[in-house]
């Protein structure tokens, strides 16, 4: 099986977008053959300047048919040129898949390819995409979304997750997992996973508090008392509580609840786990305690989020 991939670039494209091509490169290495043939494309061909100013050589659009066409993003969601829009409309009729990373979703939207579909983009631009293109069902808190033959991803690094998902679809999970390990990235974040991370939002400043948070995330089934977390941070419980609140703006107990809610929501969105099992595995202990935490975090109970996730997978 050989898959031709056309990667569309345009002036001021974001440099990190090129990272998706590395996923296909390593998939070829692990498959022992050229499964993916990647071609860089642009409307006029030749050198296309990146967001950093250096140029990348491309081929001009032609009548060549690609199995998968991917349009990359930029830093400002600039309007697409007529040539790119026309090319994508043609490609949608001949290619098996059309994908966009980050603000590339705006380009697909201009071409009308997202009308009536679910899509995502970088969280910073998601509401603008929804406002400008109301026919799209924009889900701003997603890593990537697959709606029929159309794939869209969040910010630039999420393009790696999208590319790994493409490889998994084509070659299976074993090769995708191996590629992820070789690139030293997590295999792969589920499409439904949040763009936001509780660990990042807590924004711990010191290594000790960060160590305690990582310990908590990796041991959610444990009690995770202040004493236990303080021990992980090599601080007394009193010192730990004071430093933790100074750095994160909240108590250790509240932070642990956020980590548990995040883990529980991911389990709901990525599988068919029973509510009681999720409550146990994420340390809530029982579904009622988890329900109260979800109402505080999301304003809706776990069952509502689970139903939404099930509908998205159907």
């Amino acid at each position: 099986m050989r898959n031709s991939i056309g990667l569309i670039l345009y002036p001021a494209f974001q440099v990190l977008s090129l990272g998706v091509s590395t996923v296909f490169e390593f998939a070829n290495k692990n498959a022992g053959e050229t499964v993916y043939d990647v071609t860089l494309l642009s409307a006029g061909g030749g050198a296309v300047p990146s967001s950093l100013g250096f140029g990348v050589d491309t081929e001009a659009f032609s009548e060549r048919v690609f199995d998968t066409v991917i349009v990359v993003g930029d830093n400002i969601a600039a309007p697409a040129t007529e040539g790119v829009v026309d090319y994508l409309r043609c490609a949608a009729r001949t290619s098996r898949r059309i994908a966009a990373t980050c603000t590339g979703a705006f380009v697909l939207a201009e071409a009308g390819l997202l009308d009536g579909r679910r899509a995502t983009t970088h969280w910073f631009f998601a509401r603008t995409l929804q406002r400008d293109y109301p026919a799209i069902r924009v889900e701003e808190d997603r890593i990537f979304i697959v709606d029929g033959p159309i794939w869209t991803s969040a910010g630039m690094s999420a393009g790696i997750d999208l590319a790994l998902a493409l490889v998994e679809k084509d070659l299976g999970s074993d090769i995708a997992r191996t590629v992820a390990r070789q690139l030293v990235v997590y295999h792969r974040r589920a499409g439904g996973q949040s763009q936001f991370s509780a660990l990042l939002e807590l924004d711990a400043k010191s290594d000790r508090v960060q160590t305690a948070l990582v310990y908590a995330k990796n041991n959610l089934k444990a009690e995770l008392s202040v004493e236990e977390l303080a021990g992980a941070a090599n601080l007394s419980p009193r010192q730990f509580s004071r430093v933790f609140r100074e750095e994160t703006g909240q108590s250790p107990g509240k932070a642990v609840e956020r980590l548990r809610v995040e883990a529980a929501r991911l389990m709901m969105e990525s599988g068919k786990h029973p509510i009681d099992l999720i409550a146990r595995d994420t340390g809530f202990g029982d579904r009622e305690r988890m329900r109260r935490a979800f109402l505080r975090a999301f304003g809706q109970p776990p069952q509502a989020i689970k139903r939404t996730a099930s509908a998205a997978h159907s």
Side-chain angles (χ1 to χ4, degrees):
M1 177 180 66
R2 192 180 181 101
N3 295 282
S4 57
I5 295 180
L7 189 63
I8 298 178
L9 308 183
Y10 50 88
F13 72 90
Q14 223 295 323
V15 174
L16 188 56
S17 301
L18 294 176
V20 300
S21 61
T22 303
V23 173
F24 302 123
E25 175 189 358
F26 276 75
N28 288 342
K29 291 179 181 295
N30 285 282
E33 60 179 312
T34 304
V35 178
Y36 295 104
D37 177 16
V38 179
T39 302
L40 302 183
L41 302 171
S42 69
V48 176
S50 69
S51 56
L52 268 176
F54 63 79
V56 176
D57 197 33
T58 64
E59 292 185 14
F61 294 153
S62 67
E63 295 183 358
R64 178 183 173 186
V65 174
F66 290 90
D67 176 76
T68 302
V69 172
I70 303 174
V71 58
V72 303
D74 62 14
N75 292 333
I76 60 172
T81 64
E82 184 177 351
V84 172
V85 168
D86 288 344
Y87 180 80
L88 283 169
R89 286 172 178 162
C90 291
R93 295 192 291 269
T94 58
S95 298
R96 179 164 64 100
R97 301 178 295 211
I98 304 291
T101 63
C102 196
T103 57
F106 283 81
V107 183
L108 297 189
E110 287 186 56
L113 303 185
L114 298 182
D115 288 353
R117 295 187 182 276
R118 298 166 55 239
T120 193
T121 188
H122 192 290
W123 62 266
F124 185 82
F125 295 97
R127 295 189 181 183
T128 301
L129 181 64
Q130 185 67 86
R131 182 197 67 207
D132 292 351
Y133 300 95
I136 305 171
R137 180 182 165 190
V138 178
E139 299 185 18
E140 64 181 85
D141 190 18
R142 292 295 179 267
I143 295 297
F144 66 87
I145 287 177
V146 183
D147 190 326
I150 307 296
W151 298 53
T152 52
S153 79
M156 300 302 172
S157 63
I160 301 295
D161 299 286
L162 183 147
L164 285 168
L166 290 170
V167 169
E168 182 172 327
K169 182 77 172 177
D170 296 337
L171 305 179
S173 59
D174 287 345
I175 286 184
R177 188 177 299 111
T178 300
V179 171
R181 284 200 303 265
Q182 290 171 338
L183 298 181
V184 198
V185 298
Y186 183 80
H187 171 71
R188 62 173 169 73
R189 291 179 293 178
Q193 186 169 341
S194 172
Q195 291 189 36
F196 305 98
S197 164
L199 280 178
L200 288 177
E201 291 184 347
L202 287 167
D203 194 25
K205 306 296 189 298
S206 68
D207 289 343
R208 287 187 174 185
V209 172
Q210 184 67 31
T211 296
L213 285 169
V214 172
Y215 174 85
K217 187 175 177 64
N218 292 335
N219 296 275
L220 290 177
K221 292 179 74 172
E223 182 182 350
L224 297 178
S225 63
V226 171
E227 290 75 16
E228 186 174 357
L229 295 174
N234 290 315
L235 292 169
S236 71
R238 183 176 179 180
Q239 283 180 306
F240 176 75
S241 295
R242 176 179 57 79
V243 172
F244 193 95
R245 188 176 289 276
E246 287 175 354
E247 293 192 15
T248 68
Q250 58 191 264
S251 69
K254 184 64 176 177
V256 167
E257 180 177 287
R258 289 183 64 184
L259 292 173
R260 284 181 168 141
V261 163
E262 180 178 72
R265 177 177 171 178
L266 179 57
M267 287 184 69
M268 289 173 195
E269 293 176 338
S270 61
K272 299 181 179 180
H273 307 289
I275 293 289
D276 289 333
L277 174 66
I278 295 173
R280 289 196 304 270
D281 282 358
T282 55
F284 284 110
D286 61 73
R287 61 193 302 160
E288 177 56 26
R289 184 181 171 198
M290 184 170 72
R291 186 186 73 84
R292 293 195 299 268
F294 266 64
L295 288 173
R296 284 191 290 270
F298 307 121
Q300 55 184 326
Q303 290 83 353
I305 291 176
K306 199 170 190 300
R307 283 194 298 270
T308 300
S310 297
H313 289 302
S314 62

